Amino acid sequence: MKNFLFELREGLLIAFRAIRANKVRSILTTLGIVIGVTSVVLMSTAIKGIDNAFQTGVSSLGSDNLYIDKWQWFNNDIPWWELRNRKNLTLEDYKKYKELAKLPLAVAPTVWNFNTVKFKDRVVEGLIIQGTTSDYIQTTNLSFSEGRFFNELESNGGRNVIVLGSEVAKKLFPIGYAVGQEVKIKGHKFRVVGVLAEQGSWVMGNFNPDKQVFLPIQNIFKYLQNENLRSITINVRAKNSQMVEATKEEAVGIMRRIRGLAYNQENDFSINQQEGLLNTINQTVGVIQIAGLFITGLSLFVGAIGIMNIMFVSVKERTKEIGIRKAIGAKRRAILGQFITESAVICLIGGLIGLVFAVILSLIINQFLPTSVQVDALILAIVISIATGVISGFAPAYTAAKLDPVEALRYE
Amino acid sequence: MNIITIEHIAKIYQVGSEEVHALADVSLKIDKGEYVAIMGPSGSGKSTLMNILGCLDTPTKGIYNFNGVNVSEMNDNELAKIRNKEIGFVFQTFNLLPRSDALHNVELPLIYAGVSSAERKERAKEALAHVGLADRMHHKPNELSGGQRQRVAIARALVTRPSIILADEPTGNLDTKTGEDIMALFNEIYEQGNTIILVTHEEYIAEHAERILRIRDGLIEKDEIVKERFIPKKNGASKI
Ligand SMILES: Nc1ncnc2c1ncn2[C@@H]1O[C@H](COP(=O)(O)OP(=O)(O)OP(=O)(O)O)[C@@H](O)[C@H]1O
Ligand SMILES: [Mg+2]
């Protein structure tokens, strides 16, 4: 053990001396590792950023939420046509469920429609118009920058009121003061009662509440859509995360009763959860990760081959030195350790330089994908560069270690 | 007591289809404290014999007993240990590490012996002082003269307090005057009780030894005692 430490120190000393003696060569060799480590760190940082964005996007759905729907959102087992043939979920179903369900914190129906909203000469096209009830707000974590959600009276009465997502409001009312104004959808006037605070979960695309507007649900059917052609979604929020399963079981029982299913009939509805979405996202992120790993792995591999090559050259050049060391009593292990140490040091230096590059570049990435280099990425980079050095240095070091001392000494 | 006993040693190289008998059949005993010069024409097998004696190489045939241990059957690592602890090798071409200073070159065997840094420095400095290079410790080999380089090499050979010093033409690359200085150093080392085996082409170098061994074609041609053994005042090897 003591020997090992002395030899390691000697190995480090030799390594630094050898690197100093061949500056240009060392720099060029290290470049491969610098690029490899930079790409590994950047890739892992970018993937983490993507993952974070997805996760925050999903969690804006609320982890305690259930969505009773005709459609199964993340479906791999039920044939599509079977889902299509299911009976639509209606407002009647919703009302019955709300009456019977004891466990939920809040229940609200939703139905959506693509449409255009205008204010004077300003137009926002193709946004999602959600129809719902005043209870909807309790099934979400939304907050307001202006005004409020429509109340029970407005909801039940099907008043022409509207709540705007932050981005929609910004487009229609660039200087604010949306509340009290009247916007138009298909020529019908709606009075703005509230504007949502910005949610900023960009991954959800059009389903981002920032890009939506909300009406009492009756208005959707009255002005925009035939009620009989549309299936609604029942949004259910459990009291807390422990209650999600119980609430779900209760919902299955109640829905089966409402839908009049016999004991031997399959459910003709699905209870969706963000978990399903999470699974899909995790799969996607997994694919990105594998692709990223493969690409970065490739660049590291190229770097490692460079190191191996230069270490073989180094061993060849220093055959005489190896002979001297062996002649005065260096064991195979010491020579092996010396060259592996040298290779690891070169790679570690490359890795540290790569890390600096990665941190700088990640600041640029951060401009469009919120992320930062994490401690585990730093550790990963250091571990990877040392490991690369050890692995690519092994074969050259081994040839050095088993050199015959007499022949090595004779080498000029 | 015999420090070296070799019996019917042969070293055979296969060159193409031909066998080269670098050593044909050599038997030899060397006592503790002896000073032996090996002479012979070029290609007679002197270096081959030295390499085997120094455990750098193993014989093709025969038995080599070093300090009562059979080294002819040892593996690489065991031989490395013997070289490190028991043998001090001095070469014709010095064989110093070019990028290391004198001190570090002398320290090197102690590193592989697992001696702590402080003790290493201490002993290396002592050894360098002993060969008269106390003021050249931080010189690199290319900043030293040939004689000084060989002194560093001798300090390196002495620093582990080996049982035996082997020198293969240590003055071969030096002018006569410098060679004589180096031989004076070997004499001093010998008089401190060390065992020395030295290869040389020059009679006047060989005259320093108490015993001269003449080799030809891989065989011992003549083995004669030319001087009486020097008996050091203190017994045992020097405390360098
Ligand atoms: N690796 C080898 N392969 C083949 N033949 C070898 C090898 N090493 C030595 N020999 C041969 O063995 C013989 C003895 O060589 P050695 O080096 O021992 O001679 P030497 O007495 O030291 O000569 P010199 O005085 O020139 O140094 C020579 O004929 C040489 O050609
Ligand atoms: Mg020779």
Side-chain angles (χ1 to χ4, degrees), chain B residues 125-175:
Chain B
K125 280 178 186 169
E126 233 177 275
L128 278 169
H130 185 77
V131 300
L133 286 179
D135 55 345
R136 294 286 188 278
M137 297 204 192
H138 298 294
H139 285 56
K140 302 242 168 87
N142 62 2
E143 297 158 354
L144 294 169
S145 72
Q148 287 170 331
R149 286 184 214 181
Q150 197 58 299
R151 282 168 191 274
V152 174
I154 292 170
R156 181 180 67 187
L158 290 174
V159 76
T160 54
R161 294 163 197 154
S163 317
I164 184 167
I165 310 276
L166 299 177
D168 192 351
E169 298 188 47
T171 59
N173 274 20
L174 303 172
D175 61 68

Side-chain angles (χ1 to χ4, degrees), chain A residues 2-3 6-7 9-10 13 17-18 21 318 320-321 324-332 334 405-406 409, chain B residues 51 56-57 76-77 80 83-84 91 95-97 99-100 104 108-109 111-117 120 156:
Chain A
K2 201 173 60 177
N3 273 30
F6 293 156
E7 283 164 16
R9 237 178 73 189
E10 171 73 7
L13 197 79
R17 233 183 245 146
R318 282 148 71 192
K320 180 111 184 178
E321 175 194 323
I324 296 172
R325 289 177 186 277
K326 292 198 110 176
I328 61 170
K331 293 186 181 160
R332 284 188 178 192
V406 175
L409 277 173
Chain B
N51 288 341
L56 280 170
D57 211 348
D76 242 36
N77 280 341
R83 288 197 295 271
N84 184 243
F91 303 90
N95 283 343
L96 299 174
L97 295 186
R99 286 199 282 265
S100 300
H104 189 252
L108 211 54
I111 289 174
Y112 295 122
V115 176
S116 75
S117 176
R120 230 155 55 202
R156 181 180 67 187

Side-chain angles (χ1 to χ4, degrees), chain A residues 4 15-16 37 171 195-196 200 346 354 375 393:
Chain A
F4 175 75
F16 283 116
V37 168
K171 283 181 185 159
V195 175
L196 295 179
I346 293 178
V375 178

